Amino acid sequence: MASEISNRFGYSVTHTYVTGQAGDSTRTATLVSARAGSLDRFADRPNETTESCEHCDARLRVVLRSTADVRRRRSTHRALWPVCAVLALLSTWCLVHVLRTGDGAGSDDLLGLYVTVAATVLLGYATLRSLVLTQAFDTPEVTRTDDREPSGVRYGWTTPRQTAAEDRRS
């Protein structure tokens, strides 16, 4: 289950902005930088670089966590997800027990049902979240460093696109 932590990470900066809002829904568009950057992962300290957004000239900082930091964050969740899984199974057994023994009359049965359903759902979510996070934390963080922060604009990263020349070589 353990995945390898890459020594080098390639990225392209993304610029996501709001194009329209209708009621509760929001439409966004994402523009991807034509320039591709890459960072080497260091063993004991984060690697960072500054970039500029091609679309709005914002100054951005791209930080790639160190190998030690990624391993430390992952190890927490490697130890946590089995505990959550056992508690979720126990909660599921309790839910089945409440459903089988309750007669449906009275507030005690209803309270027991609500508590066990909530515990089962929350512990199931915690199990899945911790299981996913055992493979996470190895991607860069992109933050804006200049003081102008327009509303509705977010910055992130994506894997670089292959060019036509790279496609022909493959």
Side-chain angles (χ1 to χ4, degrees), residues 20-27:
Q21 289 182 330
D24 291 339
S25 64
T26 303
R27 283 182 301 178

Side-chain angles (χ1 to χ4, degrees), residues 4-163:
E4 292 296 319
I5 301 171
S6 63
N7 291 330
R8 187 166 187 78
F9 194 89
Y11 63 91
S12 292
V13 173
T14 61
H15 173 105
T16 303
Y17 61 97
V18 175
T19 59
Q21 289 182 330
D24 291 339
S25 64
T26 303
R27 283 182 301 178
T28 61
T30 300
L31 305 171
V32 179
S33 174
R35 280 189 321 251
S38 65
L39 287 172
D40 292 323
R41 187 179 310 276
F42 298 136
D44 57 348
R45 64 180 175 88
N47 188 2
E48 66 180 63
T49 187
T50 56
E51 295 275 343
S52 63
C53 179
E54 293 178 354
H55 309 289
C56 67
D57 293 328
R59 290 189 321 256
L60 305 170
R61 184 175 74 187
V62 181
V63 179
L64 187 63
R65 291 183 176 100
S66 68
T67 303
D69 187 33
V70 171
R71 284 196 177 117
R72 181 181 51 79
R73 289 173 182 250
R74 285 182 177 181
S75 68
T76 302
H77 291 283
R78 270 196 201 101
L80 188 60
W81 84 262
V83 173
C84 289
V86 168
L87 291 174
L89 288 174
L90 180 64
S91 178
T92 304
W93 178 82
C94 290
L95 177 63
V96 169
H97 182 69
V98 166
L99 289 173
R100 285 182 56 220
T101 59
D103 60 1
S107 61
D108 291 343
D109 289 341
L110 194 57
L111 179 63
L113 180 66
Y114 286 152
V115 168
T116 54
V117 165
T120 303
V121 169
L122 290 175
L123 288 168
Y125 171 76
T127 302
L128 293 176
R129 183 177 180 277
S130 285
L131 191 57
V132 166
L133 291 177
T134 61
Q135 305 299 314
F137 302 114
D138 62 343
T139 57
E141 294 177 11
V142 179
T143 55
R144 188 167 181 157
T145 58
D146 53 9
D147 290 332
R148 2 175 238 125
E149 188 68 36
S151 62
V153 177
R154 293 186 316 268
Y155 301 95
W157 63 271
T158 187
T159 55
R161 295 186 224 154
Q162 282 190 330
T163 63

